[in-house]
Amino acid sequence: FLLQMDLRLLLIATLSAVLGGGWAQQEGSICIKANAQSCGECIQVAETCGWCSDETFLTVGESKSARCDDLESLKKRNCDVAKIENPRGSISIDENKPVTNRKKDVAEKLKPEQITQIQPQKLTLTLRSGEPQTFELKFKRAEDYPIDLYYLMDLSFSMKDDLENVKNLGTDLMREMQEITSDFQIGFGSIVEKTVMPYISTTPARFINPCTGNQNCTRPFSYKNVLKLTDKGDEFNRLVSEQQISENLDSSEGGFDAIMQVAVCEEQIGWRNVTRLLVFSTDAGFHFAGDGKLGGIVLPNDGRCHLENNTYTMSHYYDYPSIAHLVQKLSDHNIQTIFAVTEEFQPVYKELKNLIPKSAVGTLSSNSSNVIKLIIDAYNSLSSEVILENGRLPEGVSITYKSICKNGVEGTGENGRKCSNISIGDEVSFKISIESQKCPSSGKAEPETIRIKPLGFTEEVEIVLNFICDCQCATEGEPDSKKCFEGNGTFECGACKCNDGRIGRLCECSIDEVRTEDLDANCRKDNGMDICSNNGDCVCGTCECKKRENPAEIYSGKYCECDNFNCDRSNNKLCGGHGRCECRKCICDANYTGSACDCSLETSTCLAKNGQICNGRGTCVCGICKCTSPKFQGPTCEICPTCPGVCAEHKDCVQCRAFEVGEKKDTCERDCSYFQLIKVKDLNQLPQPTDQSFSLAHCKERDANDCWFYYTYAIRNDTKEVYVVETLGMIGPAKFLLFSNMLCCLLLLLCWEFIAPSSGSSPPCIFCSSVIISYLLCFGLTGEAELVS
């Protein structure tokens, strides 16, 4: 079934490309964009997508893909909630034993398989595409947890002194490890090198005793399992004491061959399902994949056990393992590695440690005297950190981790996989999310199993994944239904699911029967380049217009060339809110016109006080007066700032407000507050008509003292403004006469100054003073006039 669905999807995609460059990109939600042709395809698009299985849901001309939409949109489009297919994922915990609270000093000793450090142990996840399922995983370090330790030692000649110190390692290490666990096993293995040139000398004499001089050495070998894991420390000491040093030619050793065999030969080594430690002790570097070519060995290491009589027999046949291969096998067998190496090779093995998870490097003294402390420190370092890893994930499945460590410290990304500084008895947790982006490519929704485990531990979580690849209503489908054009499809979930080679809403079109050029011609308007105006899909030679995220927005027309949402706007409203959009043009309501229906035909707003439209001096355009003469202003063209009589009309108010004189001096505040007054120094500072975008009247009026005063009157933005020159000016002839009289007065005063003493007459002060005061008043020098008075 799923295979047919995938083939049909591929067929539709291929046809789309032939028809002119693929399906037109849908706008709106991701559900609509997917152009899903069945319920199963729809629910795989995203977790927010649902399918309306109501048979009567679609309107005429709508494609099947319109059934797939986000849930809220389907409800708004009046799809019965009971008819919306929207399956959800789930989590089922199948095995959930609590973590073990175990004490070392209790009488009852639990077997390793009775100890639980990770919870839960088994789950079943049902996954829908795009919908993550999240669960919590707990980890707790159990006290007195069993430990297996295998000591792998380089027995090349340079390690002769080290061998003497390792001979008592068994009992000494047993005694120290009792502080950590009461269940401890130890084993021993030794390495030298591949038994071919140029790694060793193959001459008969040197092969029997590869050491020079009087040294008695054992013949070279690749790897020997000397002692299977045991709880007898004295047995370890006895067998190690019997070991002899050997020799090889090159400086690097074949340690990787031995590590691989220790990891994969579980039965021969005696590994239990407990904490597994491998201590590799050496004072040299290592060979890895590719180095075997020097000895003519080209076959890659097969990662299998090849121990016969506890000896690795295929060193001459298989190359050294690669680092990646070694990492995989150590992880698969839950082995934590401790590299006990001399200070000279610390940098090399620290780089190797960065490539091998759950490994440690310790500095070995020149004679291995500190080996026990090194092992204890390395074990404490390794066991205080938990790192989760998962097996291979199925295609399209992803996993994310979030750690909640000691003291509430959280980690995400790669740090979400691990917690550090964990002591015995500490409990940490992880939030694990698993998400599927698609159904298995096999076309079958078969369960898949993945495993998650802490590195270096044998316990693991088994997770069974089930995939939701189709809707429940698909199980009730009617194959070869009469509702699907001559039985060319299965009627399921309210729509036809077409058989291979058929397309169309009712599977009415055969791909083989319809020529591409015919489809193109029927779906192109005026023989243009665009198929369905780029707003729809060409199905069986007929345009099916695409859907918008907003159901109220619709593409229409034979070529999907029309829509009801791309008309002109006014005040951010489609058709100004006074019309409807049809095929990208506004159809205006009564009394409105214009491309955006923003022009009102109502004239009541243009009536002047005299009942005339715009006072008879303008036209009413969209409810607003457009005055035909620039002299007239205002909403109804009734204001004329420059008409005759304006200056005389405002003279008394300007005089009383600017100079506090005139007929309205006593009622100025009541009668003359209707304009804004601005005083200027001289005539040059008055506004000029050429500088203004509004009508302006220049006024020159005479006061009771025959002095001129100058001002302008204008209406700007419905505000009346008056600019007035703050200095009065005399009328020309009067000014000359007054000035002449003042000169005469001054001459009389001077003459009297010389004549009066002899004649005894009084000077003409009254006449002269009045002349001078009048002169000063006309020039606005009030203070000086009062002084003369």
Side-chain angles (χ1 to χ4, degrees):
F1 167 74
L2 289 174
L3 181 61
Q4 290 179 348
M5 181 183 71
D6 288 343
L7 289 173
R8 191 180 66 258
L9 283 173
L10 179 62
L11 189 59
I12 292 173
T14 305
L15 179 61
S16 301
V18 174
L19 293 179
W23 299 93
Q25 184 180 3
Q26 300 275 1
E27 295 181 14
S29 74
I30 188 174
C31 311
I32 293 177
K33 289 179 182 179
N35 196 34
Q37 298 298 305
S38 69
C39 188
E41 292 177 24
C42 178
I43 63 171
Q44 292 182 50
V45 174
E47 64 166 321
T48 57
C49 298
W51 176 273
C52 185
S53 60
D54 185 353
E55 190 173 344
T56 62
F57 176 66
L58 298 181
T59 58
V60 176
E62 283 190 299
S63 64
K64 284 185 293 186
S65 61
R67 293 181 177 274
C68 184
D69 207 342
D70 61 87
L71 304 180
E72 289 302 316
S73 294
L74 289 176
K75 293 175 184 177
K76 290 178 181 177
R77 293 166 61 192
N78 299 320
C79 181
D80 187 351
V81 175
K83 294 286 188 178
I84 296 177
E85 293 290 325
N86 181 36
R88 312 309 300 175
S90 62
I91 296 178
S92 172
I93 298 178
D94 305 321
E95 188 176 342
N96 194 30
K97 293 189 295 185
V99 291
T100 303
N101 294 314
R102 185 190 188 199
K103 300 294 183 183
K104 187 175 69 171
D105 53 358
V106 297
E108 181 187 3
K109 296 298 181 183
L110 299 177
K111 296 179 180 180
E113 58 269 19
Q114 295 175 313
I115 301 173
T116 301
Q117 296 184 114
I118 193 167
Q119 178 189 5
Q121 295 79 40
K122 186 174 182 179
L123 305 94
T124 299
L125 272 59
T126 302
L127 300 178
R128 175 179 168 180
S129 298
E131 181 188 17
Q133 298 297 326
T134 303
F135 62 93
E136 184 177 12
L137 185 148
K138 295 180 181 178
F139 177 85
K140 183 177 182 179
R141 277 190 64 191
E143 188 173 346
D144 197 26
Y145 195 75
I147 298 174
D148 284 352
L149 185 146
Y150 191 86
Y151 196 90
L152 181 62
M153 187 173 182
D154 174 11
L155 287 187
S156 58
F157 190 78
S158 59
M159 293 286 285
K160 182 178 180 181
D161 293 342
D162 302 78
L163 180 60
E164 292 300 319
N165 285 304
V166 174
K167 287 180 179 180
N168 296 321
L169 177 66
T171 53
D172 293 345
L173 190 58
M174 281 278 187
R175 185 170 54 252
E176 292 293 333
M177 293 299 288
Q178 284 177 355
E179 298 295 323
I180 299 173
T181 177
S182 61
D183 189 355
F184 178 71
Q185 290 193 156
I186 189 170
F188 183 82
S190 57
I191 67 162
V192 180
E193 186 54 276
K194 288 184 180 296
T195 55
V196 295
M197 282 290 286
Y199 312 108
I200 66 166
S201 175
T202 56
T203 60
R206 292 294 299 275
F207 189 75
I208 296 173
N209 182 10
C211 298
T212 58
N214 296 324
Q215 299 290 338
N216 186 23
C217 298
T218 188
R219 66 172 57 196
F221 57 90
S222 176
Y223 160 65
K224 285 183 180 179
N225 177 29
V226 178
L227 175 64
K228 187 176 181 179
L229 288 163
T230 178
D231 57 0
K232 297 178 176 60
D234 53 353
E235 180 71 5
F236 180 95
N237 294 346
R238 184 183 66 81
L239 288 175
V240 173
S241 298
E242 296 175 358
Q243 300 306 303
Q244 285 184 291
I245 294 297
S246 185
E247 181 65 293
N248 61 311
L249 296 180
D250 64 336
S251 58
S252 298
E253 312 294 0
F256 278 15
D257 271 346
I259 292 174
M260 177 63 78
Q261 292 303 299
V262 172
V264 299
C265 299
E266 286 195 348
E267 184 178 350
Q268 291 87 336
I269 302 299
W271 291 116
R272 299 177 295 170
N273 284 330
V274 297
T275 298
R276 299 175 176 182
L277 300 177
L278 168 60
V279 179
F280 177 47
S281 174
T282 184
D283 64 349
F286 49 83
H287 286 296
F288 54 91
D291 289 353
K293 293 180 180 179
L294 294 172
I297 302 171
V298 295
L299 285 178
N301 194 287
D302 66 349
R304 295 181 180 180
C305 181
H306 297 287
L307 289 184
E308 293 182 11
N309 296 323
N310 287 320
T311 300
Y312 179 41
T313 59
M314 302 297 285
S315 68
H316 65 288
Y317 191 77
Y318 289 116
D319 193 5
Y320 303 97
S322 67
I323 295 176
H325 197 185
L326 209 58
V327 169
Q328 177 194 343
K329 292 300 181 180
L330 290 171
S331 174
D332 290 345
H333 295 274
N334 307 304
I335 296 173
Q336 303 176 67
T337 310
I338 301 172
F339 296 106
V341 298
T342 54
E343 187 173 1
E344 177 186 359
F345 287 93
Q346 281 285 307
V348 175
Y349 281 90
K350 282 184 177 178
E351 289 296 325
L352 181 61
K353 168 191 173 297
N354 293 334
L355 300 175
I356 302 179
K358 293 292 281 185
S359 63
V361 177
T363 304
L364 191 68
S365 61
S366 59
N367 59 3
S368 296
S369 59
N370 68 330
V371 68
I372 292 179
K373 183 179 184 305
L374 184 154
I375 291 172
I376 298 295
D377 291 344
Y379 167 75
N380 288 331
S381 173
L382 290 172
S383 61
S384 66
E385 183 177 56
V386 57
I387 302 175
L388 297 184
E389 70 165 1
N390 53 268
R392 185 191 64 83
L393 296 174
E395 183 183 0
V397 174
S398 61
I399 186 169
T400 57
Y401 296 86
K402 178 182 178 181
S403 59
I404 300 93
C405 306
K406 287 178 65 175
N407 302 320
V409 176
E410 296 185 355
T412 56
E414 283 303 309
N415 291 329
R417 291 176 173 265
K418 61 185 179 180
C419 283
S420 303
N421 301 319
I422 302 174
S423 304
I424 292 174
D426 286 343
E427 182 177 295
V428 297
S429 63
F430 300 85
K431 289 190 181 298
I432 302 174
S433 293
I434 299 179
E435 181 178 351
S436 172
Q437 296 299 332
K438 62 178 182 178
C439 280
S441 58
S442 62
K444 297 181 180 180
E446 296 293 334
E448 297 270 3
T449 300
I450 63 173
R451 288 175 170 81
I452 298 175
K453 68 176 183 179
L455 280 173
F457 295 86
T458 57
E459 296 176 71
E460 63 183 15
V461 181
E462 180 182 322
I463 304 171
V464 178
L465 304 180
N466 292 320
F467 300 91
I468 302 175
C469 295
D470 215 334
C471 301
Q472 182 63 34
C473 58
T475 60
E476 304 170 1
E478 179 187 343
D480 303 324
S481 173
K482 294 181 180 179
K483 297 179 180 180
C484 303
F485 191 75
E486 299 179 353
N488 282 305
T490 299
F491 190 80
E492 62 179 44
C493 303
C496 286
K497 186 174 183 179
C498 299
N499 296 336
D500 291 343
R502 306 293 299 189
I503 56 174
R505 179 173 170 177
L506 299 176
C507 311
E508 69 275 19
C509 184
S510 170
I511 295 175
D512 298 330
E513 295 173 358
V514 181
R515 294 184 303 166
T516 301
E517 54 268 27
D518 293 338
L519 295 177
D520 287 349
N522 291 335
C523 293
R524 299 179 191 273
K525 183 181 179 182
D526 300 329
N527 293 323
M529 294 297 295
D530 297 332
I531 293 179
C532 299
S533 306
N534 285 331
N535 294 323
D537 303 326
C538 187
V539 180
C540 298
T542 302
C543 284
E544 288 189 359
C545 301
K546 66 183 178 181
K547 304 301 175 185
R548 301 270 297 178
E549 183 176 11
N550 182 354
E553 297 179 352
I554 300 172
Y555 287 111
S556 59
K558 181 179 179 181
Y559 304 100
C560 302
E561 73 278 13
C562 295
D563 64 60
N564 66 346
F565 53 86
N566 271 322
C567 291
D568 290 343
R569 294 175 179 267
S570 178
N571 294 326
N572 203 29
K573 292 181 180 180
L574 192 66
C575 298
H578 302 299
R580 65 185 184 278
C581 182
E582 291 185 2
C583 204
R584 302 188 177 184
K585 290 185 179 180
C586 286
I587 306 299
C588 299
D589 297 338
N591 291 328
Y592 283 94
T593 187
S595 63
C597 300
D598 54 352
C599 181
S600 174
L601 300 177
E602 182 63 47
T603 60
S604 59
T605 55
C606 296
L607 289 177
K609 294 179 182 178
N610 59 11
Q612 290 184 304
I613 298 294
C614 300
N615 195 29
R617 301 184 181 278
T619 57
C620 187
V621 179
C622 299
I624 299 174
C625 282
K626 301 293 183 183
C627 302
T628 53
S629 173
K631 294 194 301 180
F632 290 90
Q633 299 178 8
T636 55
C637 304
E638 293 182 88
I639 301 173
C640 182
T642 58
C643 291
V646 170
C647 294
E649 179 183 352
H650 303 290
K651 168 187 173 182
D652 291 339
C653 282
V654 173
Q655 196 175 8
C656 79
R657 287 191 58 185
F659 306 107
E660 299 180 359
V661 295
E663 295 182 2
K664 293 190 177 183
K665 177 181 179 182
D666 297 331
T667 61
C668 193
E669 185 175 352
R670 183 190 68 193
D671 298 337
C672 301
S673 60
Y674 59 87
F675 60 83
Q676 180 181 353
L677 181 71
I678 302 101
K679 291 185 178 182
V680 297
K681 294 291 186 182
D682 53 48
L683 285 169
N684 294 331
Q685 294 179 319
L686 290 176
Q688 301 301 314
T690 56
D691 300 332
Q692 307 303 322
S693 59
F694 50 88
S695 298
L696 184 71
H698 273 264
C699 299
K700 175 182 177 183
E701 296 294 330
R702 186 167 58 184
D703 65 5
N705 294 319
D706 285 334
C707 291
W708 294 115
F709 60 95
Y710 302 89
Y711 64 93
T712 62
Y713 178 84
I715 301 174
R716 176 166 53 177
N717 297 329
D718 296 330
T719 300
K720 299 177 177 64
E721 293 180 349
V722 172
Y723 284 76
V724 62
V725 180
E726 62 184 11
T727 304
L728 293 169
M730 292 186 65
I731 301 171
K735 188 187 295 184
F736 175 77
L737 181 60
L738 188 60
F739 182 69
S740 300
N741 289 340
M742 188 178 72
L743 288 177
C744 291
C745 289
L746 289 175
L747 290 174
L748 287 172
L749 288 173
L750 289 174
C751 291
W752 193 260
E753 182 68 24
F754 296 101
I755 298 171
S758 59
S759 64
S761 301
S762 59
C765 294
I766 295 175
F767 171 73
C768 292
S769 297
S770 63
V771 171
I772 294 171
I773 290 170
S774 297
Y775 184 82
L776 293 174
L777 284 173
C778 283
F779 284 92
L781 303 176
T782 308
E784 290 78 354
E786 291 177 355
L787 180 62
V788 174
S789 298

